Each structure stands twice: as C-alpha cells, then as structure tokens.
Amino acid sequence: SAAIFAIVVAVGAATVFGAFAQNFLAPSIVGGFTAAGSVLLALAIAAGEVVAVLPLARGAAANKVPEAGASAVLLQAISGARQGLFELEFATDRVQLSYEGASILGLTAARAFSRDEWIARIHPDDRQIYLDAFREYQTHPGLSFRMEVRIRHESGTYRWLELRATIFAGPLRTRCLGLVADVTARKESEVEAPHRLLRDPLTGLGNRVALLEELEQVGDAWPRIAFAVVDIDRFKAIHSSLGDEGGDRLLVNFASRIGQQFASDVRVFRIGGDSFGVVVPTGSDHAARLGAELGDVCSTPFSVNNRNVFASASIGIALGSDAEDSLELIRRAEIALSFAKRQGGGCWKLFVPNMEALVREDAVALETDLRRGLGETEFTLHHQPIVRLSDGSVAGFEALLRWQHPTKGLVSPAEFIAHSEETGLIVALGRFALERAASDLADWHRYFPISPPLFASVNVSRRQLQDASFAVSIEKLLAAGNFGEGTFCLELTESAFDVDSDARSILERLRALGAGLAIDDFGTGLSNLSQIKDLPFDTIKIDRSFLARRTAPQEDADAAAVMNSILTLARELRRTVVVEGVETERDAIWLRQLGCELAQGYYFSPPLAPDDTLKFIASHFRMDASSRGTKTDNPTGLSTPSMG
C-alpha cells in the first residue's frame, strides 16, 4: 500500500509540475495508480493497521517505527482532500460511506445503505450503467476502476460523485473499496464548455465557429438564404477615442441593435473584432431590403458613457444560390464588403461574380506597383470645393490623392491608402500630397488675390506625424509659400489628437507657425466638443454619415438638435464647422437654415483635376477694384450648383 501510495504522490506531483507536458496518457496512468493506492491505503486503515514508511534513507531514521497516530493523520489527509471512504460488499449489496463520504450527500454521520436504498438514490439515467458496471467488475478481482454517477443529495438535488476503487477477493470477502469525491462543479463546467466555445463572451452572440455550424445545418433551404457581413467603419479611431471600455460598450450596443432589427428567425453572430454576420433564411429575394435594414442600425447615434457616437457600417451581402458551401458564402460576402469599403463606407454591396476578378492584387505586387508609380509621377491631386452656405462662394478645397495608373486608369485612394499605411509608403505619398497642395495653393493666391484668401486642406495620417522629417518639411512649405494664417490646413482624425502627446506638441508648433488644423470625420469618435476644447485645432469636419441618417421627420429633428449643439459649442470655442457629404439641395438648405458656415459634397462639385479647379474658381468669381472675390451669379449657390 505504502509503495503504491508513494508512487502516486511522486507521479502526481510530476504531473502537476508539467513533467509529462501534454502527454494525454499521463492523467490516465496517474488515475490508475491513484485508485489502486487509495484503495490499499483505505483497506489498511480499515483493518486497523499502521501504514509503514518506505526506508528511503539509511540509518536509524530510516528504521523508525511510525507513530500510532499515523492512521488518524492519513484519515485527516483524505478528509482534507474532500473525499470519503466507500465500501460495497457484494454478498449483501450493502454500501457503507464514511463520515466524509456521507457529508458529501448532506448526511450528518457515517451511513450504511441497503441495496434498494442506494439504488434509489442513483439518478434514473445512471442506474443501469451503475448496475452493469459492478456486475462486470465483480468478476475481475484486483481490478482498479473509476466511475462517475449522479447521486441524490439530502436537499433533493443530484450531485455527481466520482468513485475510484478496486475489487478485492479473499479473506476480506469479495468487496469493492475506494474513495468517493464530489465532482459536480467539473461535470457542469464540461457541459457548459461547448456552449462557451461557440459564444462571443462580450456580446453573447454566436462566434465564427457557431456561424459555420449554423450554415452547415441549412440543408435544402440553402439556395434561399442570404448572408451579410457588417463591419463598423473607422472603428480603430472610435476605439482610440473611447478607450477599451467604451469600445466594448459600443460593440454590445451595436450587436443589440442588429438583433432588435430583425425577426427571431434571423441569426446574428460576432465573427471578428468589429464585424458581425447575419444569416437570413429567406433573404435571397430581398437583398436590397436587407442592406437597407442593416444600414438603419446606424441611423441614430449610440450613447456611450453619456456621449453620442456615430458609427456607420459597411455591409457585404452574398446569396446561398451563388455559393457552393458555407466557406465560399462567407468569402463572397467579405469580398462584397471590401467593395463597400472602397466606396467610402456607410453603404452596402451585393456580391456579383465579376467582383472576384477585381479583388485587390497581391500585397507584394501592389507595393511594387506603388513604388513604381511614385517614381514615374503617376500620382496627382484632385481638389473638392468647400463652399460658404450663406452665399455659395468658394472658400477653399480639400486635396485628395489620386493614382493615374497606366493600365487601370484613375485609381481611388480606397485601393491603396490602407496598404500604404501598413508598409510605410504613406510617408512618401503624404510628402508628395503636401508639396503639390502647397504649390497649387500658391498658384490660387497668385491668380486670385481675393479676401479672405482661399485655403487648401490636406489629409495627414498618424504614420506621417511619426516621421522625423515631417515637422521640418511643413515649416519649409509654410515659409516658401508665405501663406496667410490657417490657409494651408492639415486634416487629421480625432485619434491623432487624442492619443499621441508627441504629435500634439508637433501640431501646436506648426499651428504657431501659421498652419491650419482640422479634425476630420468628426462624429465617428469623440462627439463632445467640450472634451476637446483644449486641443490645437481650428476646424471641425462633420462626417458624411451624419447627413445619411436624415430619412424621417423625427430623425430630421433629432439631427437638427445635435447639429445645433455642435454649432453652438463651435461658436463658443471659435472653431469653424465644415459638413462633408452634402449630396442634395435639401441637405444644403437645411444646413444653411441651421447656420452652418461651410460644406462640401457632390451637390456642389466632385473632386476636380488641377486645371478644372482653376476653371471652377474663375467661374465663381470676378475681381473688382478692392480685390475682393464676389459671386457672378446664383447668389444662393444652392439651386444650380456648378459641377466644374
């Protein structure tokens, strides 16, 4: 008994400390030794014997006789391990539990059970398993085994008990002797584990594994299903502004809205950091409605930590009739999503076969192409007008990078900007954009010396701010152009202001030298001007997704209330407001009535090539003796906008 028990201790300790690494046999081997050793130990105690100690050392200490209280100490050790003694005499089918074993079942003293009493306590689903097992074990003396069954507790509930025992035969009569322990917590966790493996712990939605299982079970309804991938636009910027807790809260609210948008037969999953999957069982005939309904999820701002956060989403939809299996369906929806992203986000796209041929090229090939394009001056700037809503006059332009590819034609920034950020090419591209914008602005000031002077806004990424030469290059451009204060403007997202203290100090220095600073895509992250009143910026650019939410009278009123609060705070903080994405006369008139100062969008003009930009300025102004620009016609600028 002592020898086996010593082995149990040694092997068990080795297992705990990782000696067997991931060897899947180790637990079973240790379990077998434990059962045998425990039984022999229990048998020795039951017989009133003293457990000997192996002579592991020489000399008197090794031959020392154990104290008479050794049995009591070992019994205390078993009790401390929350285990009890179990004995079954096959001749009478009588079960005996020690005090510790009985206490597991809520009993207050050691207890003997008749066969019928004990069988009655076993869960009905486990009784036959128990009886069949012991009928088999009884014929194999010396067999060590492990069994788990549910036994009724005194409270009326069932507890899972683990029995580790050995079958004995001979002078001690044929019987089963071993240890019993409560393993209810482990069994319940094992039942819950598969459920947890299929659930997103944050939102409670099924995860990507659950989505695949759901799609595999569609069966004959496959041709009729529709699947959509919904991805929150600019979530990294939102997360940077709100922090981990705020970002998580937004995701939970977003998931809740999607779930509330549809009937119970529509299944929603969280399949990525800020991506959700939606399975519609009969959506193949209503893809357009599905896209519109998912877009409605973002129609009103989300309240996060007492702040309004606007989070538009891009949506890709694929139909079961166009895919052979679940993996192909998901992949095609994600391809459609990439096309929605290329459109600037805040929209949905349905997968069509030719999309696969248009998927972005291999990253290595794209980088090679970008470097070649930079060397061969294939990049240029287009300028989108920013107009004064009060009289329709042009106030300035936003510079937008374009790639004139020799075989693909004009390539949108959505095709290459993200990749440029990842590879660091954005630094070279950004330097080109800044230098060209400064040159164009100097030409405008020379050709059209109007007052107030035209301005040019250029987008700057956080990656550019981290470049050691950035600040010096801007200083040189400002000095060479001799621009009026704030007319050469740098546009940055909110996260660039909010997170990087070094970037903030650089921007404060550039602002002191006369550069203008604008927060781009306002409303996708921080939405409370009072929280950013100390940041070094002059202009707030309201994201285009704000106007996209004005679809119903109540939403119109809500949007007006939010816009009024922004305009009021902006005036108090002496900031200029520009609203992006003005596409209709209704939007332009609405913004003018609210007192918004500046706006840009396709209603006024699309981005213009350099020559067309000069024509646009010339067609909107004539020079008088005072050198002030005045509108030649259409004093409102809202009913018949020039398209350049």
Side-chain angles (χ1 to χ4, degrees), residues 358-503:
L358 299 174
V359 173
R360 190 175 69 182
E361 294 178 80
D362 176 76
V364 175
L366 178 60
E367 182 173 353
T368 302
D369 219 12
L370 280 169
R371 293 185 183 277
R372 180 197 53 75
L374 270 171
E376 298 182 12
T377 63
E378 293 175 3
F379 290 90
T380 185
L381 284 189
H382 284 199
H383 302 280
Q384 186 169 37
I386 298 173
V387 304
R388 296 183 181 89
L389 289 169
S390 59
D391 60 6
S393 62
V394 63
F397 296 85
E398 178 180 356
L400 301 167
L401 194 63
R402 294 291 186 266
W403 184 9
Q404 188 64 50
H405 195 278
T407 59
K408 299 177 182 177
L410 195 63
V411 181
S412 167
E415 300 283 341
F416 60 86
I417 290 296
H419 180 78
S420 300
E421 287 273 6
E422 294 173 2
T423 61
L425 279 174
I426 193 65
V427 174
L429 286 172
R431 186 182 303 115
F432 165 82
L434 289 164
E435 292 173 354
R436 182 57 57 86
S439 175
D440 290 343
L441 181 61
D443 288 342
W444 303 340
H445 287 180
R446 184 167 61 254
Y447 299 147
F448 305 99
I450 59 180
S451 179
L454 295 169
F455 64 83
S457 292
V458 189
N459 290 284
V460 175
S461 74
R462 292 187 64 188
R463 188 73 175 262
Q464 289 175 261
L465 290 177
Q466 295 168 359
D467 180 50
S469 63
F470 175 77
V472 174
S473 64
I474 297 297
E475 289 181 24
K476 290 180 179 179
L477 292 175
L478 291 171
N482 193 28
F483 303 123
E485 185 173 352
T487 57
F488 189 67
C489 183
L490 309 177
E491 289 191 15
L492 302 100
T493 58
E494 298 171 27
S495 59
F497 284 101
D498 192 45
V499 177
D500 196 328
S501 59
D502 292 335

Side-chain angles (χ1 to χ4, degrees), residues 47-122:
E49 299 172 355
V50 175
V51 179
V53 178
L54 290 176
L56 298 179
R58 297 183 180 276
N63 297 319
K64 183 178 179 180
V65 178
E67 297 178 4
S71 299
V73 172
L74 291 170
L75 283 173
Q76 288 178 354
I78 295 173
S79 176
R82 304 296 176 88
Q83 299 186 56
L85 295 177
F86 171 94
E87 181 183 4
L88 169 62
E89 294 183 359
F90 290 115
T92 61
D93 279 335
R94 183 182 178 86
V95 172
Q96 176 75 41
L97 294 180
S98 68
Y99 168 77
E100 292 79 8
S103 65
I104 293 174
L105 297 178
L107 301 170
T108 58
R111 175 78 177 271
F113 299 89
S114 68
R115 179 184 187 281
D116 292 341
E117 288 178 325
W118 183 248
I119 296 300
R121 277 187 173 266
I122 301 175

Side-chain angles (χ1 to χ4, degrees), residues 33-372:
F33 274 115
T34 302
S38 300
V39 168
L40 292 173
L41 173 62
L43 179 61
I45 295 171
E49 299 172 355
V50 175
V51 179
V53 178
L54 290 176
L56 298 179
R58 297 183 180 276
N63 297 319
K64 183 178 179 180
V65 178
E67 297 178 4
S71 299
V73 172
L74 291 170
L75 283 173
Q76 288 178 354
I78 295 173
S79 176
R82 304 296 176 88
Q83 299 186 56
L85 295 177
F86 171 94
E87 181 183 4
L88 169 62
E89 294 183 359
F90 290 115
T92 61
D93 279 335
R94 183 182 178 86
V95 172
Q96 176 75 41
L97 294 180
S98 68
Y99 168 77
E100 292 79 8
S103 65
I104 293 174
L105 297 178
L107 301 170
T108 58
R111 175 78 177 271
F113 299 89
S114 68
R115 179 184 187 281
D116 292 341
E117 288 178 325
W118 183 248
I119 296 300
R121 277 187 173 266
I122 301 175
H123 192 285
D125 293 343
D126 296 342
R127 287 173 189 168
Q128 196 59 47
I129 296 173
Y130 173 88
L131 293 171
D132 291 345
F134 271 104
R135 189 177 299 111
E136 178 66 22
Y137 295 156
Q138 188 174 2
T139 62
H140 296 83
L143 174 69
S144 296
F145 66 91
R146 172 178 168 274
M147 177 189 296
E148 292 177 351
V149 292
R150 285 166 288 184
I151 308 294
R152 190 178 69 249
H153 190 272
E154 283 296 288
S155 65
T157 61
Y158 283 92
R159 309 292 295 176
W160 278 100
L161 299 190
E162 177 190 62
L163 174 63
R164 292 179 181 268
T166 296
I167 305 299
F168 290 93
L172 296 174
R173 295 174 296 169
T174 301
R175 63 177 179 171
C176 170
L177 186 64
L179 298 179
V180 64
D182 187 346
V183 293
T184 304
R186 174 174 61 78
K187 294 292 290 186
E188 290 178 348
S189 67
E190 288 174 356
V191 172
E192 294 174 357
H195 176 75
R196 292 199 303 270
L197 291 174
L198 297 175
R199 289 286 164 187
D200 169 48
L202 177 64
T203 63
L205 298 175
N207 58 19
R208 199 177 186 91
V209 176
L211 168 63
L212 289 170
E213 288 194 3
E214 176 77 14
L215 293 175
E216 291 298 328
Q217 297 173 7
V218 170
D220 295 339
W222 180 265
R224 298 190 299 276
I225 71 167
F227 173 68
V229 178
V230 185
D231 189 86
I232 301 175
D233 296 328
R234 295 178 290 277
F235 182 74
K236 287 185 179 178
I238 296 173
H239 182 270
S240 295
S241 297
L242 299 177
D244 291 340
E245 182 181 353
D248 287 349
R249 190 177 297 276
L250 174 64
L251 291 171
V252 171
N253 292 346
F254 196 91
S256 177
R257 277 202 196 172
I258 296 179
Q260 295 170 5
Q261 184 78 13
F262 299 97
S264 58
D265 60 339
V266 174
R267 300 295 303 278
V268 183
F269 304 83
R270 185 186 179 197
I271 58 176
D274 59 323
S275 297
F276 299 85
V278 181
V279 179
V280 183
T282 56
S284 58
D285 297 329
H286 307 287
R289 189 176 68 185
L290 172 60
E293 289 179 345
L294 286 170
D296 287 345
V297 169
C298 309
S299 60
T300 55
F302 295 86
S303 178
V304 180
N305 298 334
N306 298 319
R307 294 155 62 180
N308 288 328
V309 179
F310 295 102
S312 63
S314 299
I315 303 156
I317 302 174
L319 305 179
S321 56
D322 294 333
E324 294 294 329
D325 54 36
S326 56
L327 291 177
E328 185 178 25
L329 181 70
I330 295 172
R331 183 177 62 84
R332 292 190 165 187
E334 290 175 340
I335 290 174
L337 173 68
S338 70
F339 277 80
K341 290 285 189 182
R342 293 179 186 184
Q343 293 290 322
C347 63
W348 64 274
K349 291 292 179 182
L350 175 65
F351 175 85
V352 291
N354 67 341
M355 282 183 175
E356 288 198 85
L358 299 174
V359 173
R360 190 175 69 182
E361 294 178 80
D362 176 76
V364 175
L366 178 60
E367 182 173 353
T368 302
D369 219 12
L370 280 169
R371 293 185 183 277
R372 180 197 53 75

